[in-house]
Amino acid sequence: MTISLDRMEERHNLIRGNKEAYKNTIKTLDLLSNYHNIEEKISTTIIKENISDIYRIKEFVKNEYPQFNHMCDIIIPTDNQTQRKSTFFVDEFNKYLKDSSLLGFNKIESEGYPKNKFRCSGGVISAFISSDKKLQICAAANADPFIIGNLENKSLYDLWLEPEGNGNILRNSKSNELEKCNNCENSNECDIINCRVAAYAYTKNYEEPYPVICYFIKGDKK
């Protein structure tokens, strides 16, 4: 179970648009602390509005909820203009995100994604159905290349067996097939899951590597 904590106290409420959000988050975390048979995670999405709070949040979680796995990640760019104001672009990393220890990237081995097997689990062992019945490889994958059918037209069973669009291409893509990654001098050391949805958001090409990973692993500040 994953609980979001994006700022401290009233600032969290402002981001969430609910004056009770922080109180309810803490109440939920306290409740979950009583259980030992649940995988518990705290997720913090790093945006420009909360970058100054990140170290405080990490210290708070470490002291108050040490049993929780705390994951920090960067908001993925979207076409939503309001969200774009909160987004970090590659040329801004050096200004805002010099310390890569802030981020909690998912490791390939810890998630069970061997490089020679598949790039991620989306469309392979999991998928997401949107409110308008589109079948996507994951919840974040709402761009056209990642939509593999519509339940208005076919059953989930049929779409899973024979996905539409790029479904079979996405299902069979492997991390070790990325040309830029294979030509990178750090390819043997890089053990981060290379999110193609994030790659598409930044580059408009899901066959490119996720540039945030390149920036921190390779030191690529271009």
Side-chain angles (χ1 to χ4, degrees):
M1 183 175 290
T2 303
I3 306 299
S4 293
L5 179 62
D6 294 322
R7 292 198 82 168
M8 298 300 295
E9 294 134 10
E10 71 278 357
R11 294 180 179 182
H12 178 82
N13 296 340
L14 286 173
I15 288 179
R16 291 290 163 177
N18 183 337
K19 64 181 181 180
E20 301 292 324
Y22 182 80
K23 182 178 74 173
N24 290 335
T25 294
I26 298 303
K27 185 186 296 184
T28 302
L29 293 175
D30 289 341
L31 180 63
L32 286 173
S33 296
N34 297 319
Y35 294 87
H36 304 287
N37 59 343
I38 299 175
E39 184 179 352
E40 302 156 335
K41 296 181 181 180
I42 295 175
S43 174
T44 300
T45 300
I46 302 177
I47 56 178
K48 289 179 179 176
E49 289 85 346
N50 71 359
I51 187 66
S52 62
D53 276 355
I54 297 301
Y55 287 107
R56 186 182 172 200
I57 294 171
K58 287 178 75 71
E59 193 66 20
F60 172 77
V61 172
K62 179 182 177 181
N63 292 331
E64 300 296 327
Y65 303 101
Q67 74 275 33
F68 283 70
N69 180 18
H70 186 201
M71 299 295 296
C72 295
D73 206 352
I74 302 171
I75 187 172
I76 297 175
T78 70
D79 293 329
N80 184 301
Q81 293 302 310
T82 300
Q83 289 186 10
R84 286 181 73 88
K85 294 177 182 178
S86 302
T87 301
F88 298 101
F89 292 92
V90 176
D91 59 358
E92 296 177 308
F93 293 159
N94 194 42
K95 177 180 179 182
Y96 291 101
L97 296 168
K98 294 180 181 180
D99 185 359
S100 62
S101 68
L102 289 173
L103 304 175
F105 291 123
N106 289 324
K107 301 286 186 177
I108 289 173
E109 290 186 4
S110 66
E111 295 293 321
Y113 304 158
K115 288 185 179 181
N116 63 353
K117 193 171 183 182
F118 50 85
R119 190 167 173 182
C120 81
S121 62
V124 181
I125 60 173
S126 62
F128 176 83
I129 301 172
S130 68
S131 59
D132 54 355
K133 298 184 180 181
K134 291 177 182 177
L135 185 63
Q136 306 169 191
I137 64 169
C138 73
N142 53 12
D144 287 343
F146 308 112
I147 297 171
I148 58 177
N150 194 306
L151 272 66
E152 288 280 8
N153 307 318
K154 289 185 178 179
S155 69
L156 177 60
Y157 178 83
D158 288 338
L159 285 174
W160 190 253
L161 291 180
E162 297 183 12
E164 298 176 353
N166 297 321
N168 283 320
I169 296 174
L170 296 170
R171 181 172 284 178
N172 292 302
S173 65
K174 301 178 178 65
S175 292
N176 64 354
E177 292 176 342
L178 294 176
E179 183 178 354
K180 282 189 176 180
C181 292
N182 287 335
N183 294 331
C184 176
E185 60 184 9
N186 297 296
S187 61
N188 291 330
E189 289 76 34
C190 184
D191 61 350
I192 307 298
I193 293 176
N194 210 317
C195 178
R196 50 195 167 192
V197 177
Y200 183 82
Y202 277 98
T203 69
K204 297 305 178 186
N205 183 354
Y206 63 81
E207 294 182 342
E208 290 284 308
Y210 179 19
V212 175
I213 293 174
C214 299
Y215 179 87
F216 289 112
I217 298 297
K218 185 180 174 182
D220 185 358
K221 300 183 174 71
K222 296 179 181 179

